[in-house]
Amino acid sequence: MVTAATRAQLRRVTDNAGMLMLLVLSSPGMATARVVNDTRDWVIGGETYIGLPFRVKLPQDVRGQPSRTMLVVDNVGRDLSDEIEARPPGAVLMATMRMVSRARPTEVDYEFTSPLSGIKITTATVSAVLGNEDALQAPAVKVRFDPVTTPAVFGT
């Protein structure tokens, strides 16, 4: 729920302050990456947020495909991709998005946390699916009891 001050700010015809989206990427074995959807860096609450444009692509309704919400961050300078690639194998990357007013950047109006999966890194962007799609599509057990794993039991 947004604060009364932010609600009043959003209802104004002319909003000189505007809103900021903050993105915090964290994972075991990785330095926490802080990104602000802006063209300049911000220091908020003693933490430096790097100004990198990012966007959230909402899911498309495509028959036969699961709905996917994508997070796409510009890969300027490759610092972000270097941090992500340095994670240990199997470490879950968590994304926390926060909406704040430029006039009151330490006051969080909205916060959303989700694991990221299907991370793809190119020279231009870092993209990932919001949600734990990797875990949801994994098999329920590591080894199944079937003719491939236990052929003698099935007489093949």
Side-chain angles (χ1 to χ4, degrees):
M1 184 163 105
V2 297
T3 62
T6 300
R7 194 174 8 252
Q9 176 184 341
L10 292 172
R11 289 181 180 159
R12 286 190 199 113
V13 175
T14 305
D15 179 9
N16 294 328
M19 303 299 287
L20 286 174
M21 287 301 294
L22 308 177
L23 175 64
V24 179
L25 299 173
S26 60
S27 179
M30 175 184 128
T32 301
R34 290 177 173 79
V35 178
V36 60
N37 193 6
D38 200 4
T39 56
R40 69 176 184 92
D41 296 351
W42 283 73
V43 177
I44 300 171
E47 301 290 346
T48 301
Y49 288 80
I50 306 301
L52 285 176
F54 66 87
R55 58 202 166 282
V56 176
K57 290 183 174 180
L58 297 176
Q60 301 293 316
D61 189 16
V62 178
R63 183 180 297 261
Q65 292 183 358
S67 297
R68 291 187 175 104
T69 302
M70 297 289 297
L71 173 66
V72 182
V73 183
D74 283 1
N75 194 15
V76 177
R78 296 199 42 88
D79 292 334
L80 180 60
S81 60
D82 290 344
E83 284 292 331
I84 291 172
E85 289 172 346
R87 292 177 306 132
V92 176
L93 183 62
M94 295 297 291
T96 302
M97 285 187 264
R98 297 180 179 127
M99 183 179 78
V100 299
S101 170
R102 287 175 184 261
R104 298 171 312 284
T106 56
E107 189 177 305
V108 177
D109 286 303
Y110 180 77
E111 184 172 283
F112 173 78
T113 301
S114 174
L116 296 176
S117 61
I119 300 168
K120 294 180 184 168
I121 298 174
T122 66
T123 55
T125 61
V126 175
S127 61
V129 176
L130 282 170
N132 206 354
E133 190 172 281
D134 293 340
L136 293 174
Q137 292 183 352
V141 294
K142 297 227 183 262
V143 179
R144 290 189 285 190
F145 190 65
D146 61 14
V148 174
T149 58
T150 52
V153 173
F154 289 92
T156 54

